[in-house]
Amino acid sequence: MSAFEIADIIGIICFALSGFLMGVYNKLDILGVFIAAFLTAFGGGMIRDVLADRTPYVFTSNLPLILVISTVLIAMLFKLHKIDDLEGKWAFVISDAIGLVSFSIAGAIIAINSGFNFLSVLILAFITAVGGGTIRDILINKVPFILVSEFYASVALIVGIAVYILELLEIRNLFTLSIVFILGVALRIVAYYRKWHLPTLSKEN
């Protein structure tokens, strides 16, 4: 199994859980919860594949669908839908952080394997990581997570840069990508709990 496949599978599972929790938190019905999980898990990857002129993975394999359905059912089995307040809950924070970094790595790998330039690597890493969540948030009438959350989209870009540098140094392999993955997840979790934000513009500034 390639590094891309591993990253994509991890991202699908974690973003399916993240989408499930967000759907429950916003009091969607059971179909709405499944749709939120599907969009979060597949949205970014489908946009990435279209931009890279590839047939979306979810169209050629049954594994992604099986992963999402299994993740949602297991989450229900462990009663994660009983969460009263999503803010700060470890299940959401960790699953979202892992999904974010995994999909950033997957998007960067697809761009590099397609022979794209540095900007394209950043764009595909970014879109793969945040595309599904953005579509989900718009659908449920929320301000997209990437516009208000602590250092969220920035992590996707940082991971994309790291993968590109590994490729330039010719040391992109499963071990080095694992290090990027661990550091990326740690950065996102620390940023979340420390409330790191990029500077904002206001009339007072």
Side-chain angles (χ1 to χ4, degrees):
M1 186 174 289
S2 67
F4 164 74
E5 291 172 326
I6 294 172
D8 218 37
I9 288 172
I10 293 173
I12 288 171
I13 293 172
C14 291
F15 265 1
L17 177 57
S18 171
F20 166 81
L21 293 171
M22 187 63 74
V24 170
Y25 179 68
N26 284 277
K27 296 180 172 58
L28 304 184
D29 62 21
I30 187 64
L31 177 60
V33 168
F34 269 97
I35 291 174
F38 286 133
L39 285 177
T40 311
F42 298 149
M46 292 177 65
I47 297 172
R48 172 202 68 206
D49 289 340
V50 170
L51 291 176
D53 197 24
R54 302 171 72 248
T55 302
Y57 182 42
V58 67
F59 291 173
T60 60
S61 173
N62 291 322
L63 180 60
L65 179 62
I66 293 171
L67 290 174
V68 172
I69 293 176
S70 299
T71 300
V72 171
L73 292 178
I74 291 172
M76 293 173 66
L77 179 65
F78 282 92
K79 301 187 183 300
L80 295 184
H81 57 287
K82 299 293 186 180
I83 292 176
D84 294 324
D85 182 10
L86 191 64
E87 185 71 22
K89 296 298 183 181
W90 66 269
F92 175 76
V93 176
I94 294 178
S95 65
D96 199 62
I98 293 175
L100 173 73
V101 177
S102 297
F103 271 177
S104 299
I105 292 173
I109 290 174
I110 285 294
I112 290 171
N113 291 347
S114 299
F116 293 168
N117 62 17
F118 172 67
L119 178 60
S120 299
V121 171
L122 293 187
I123 290 174
L124 288 196
F126 179 82
I127 288 176
T128 307
V130 307
T134 300
I135 296 171
R136 174 204 66 208
D137 290 344
I138 292 173
L139 187 64
I140 61 179
N141 199 30
K142 290 175 79 292
V143 176
F145 211 47
I146 61 171
L147 300 181
V148 296
S149 186
E150 302 83 354
F151 216 63
Y152 191 79
S154 303
V155 173
L157 296 176
I158 291 170
V159 170
I161 292 171
V163 175
Y164 185 79
I165 291 173
L166 293 180
E167 180 66 20
L168 287 181
L169 298 177
E170 298 183 353
I171 56 173
R172 178 170 65 90
N173 53 53
L174 188 57
F175 175 72
T176 55
L177 289 174
S178 297
I179 293 175
V180 171
F181 171 77
I182 293 170
L183 294 177
V185 171
L187 175 61
R188 169 57 189 153
I189 292 174
V190 170
Y192 183 92
Y193 283 111
R194 289 185 175 272
K195 305 296 183 184
W196 289 351
H197 290 273
L198 293 177
T200 59
L201 298 177
S202 65
K203 294 180 180 180
E204 287 75 20
N205 290 340

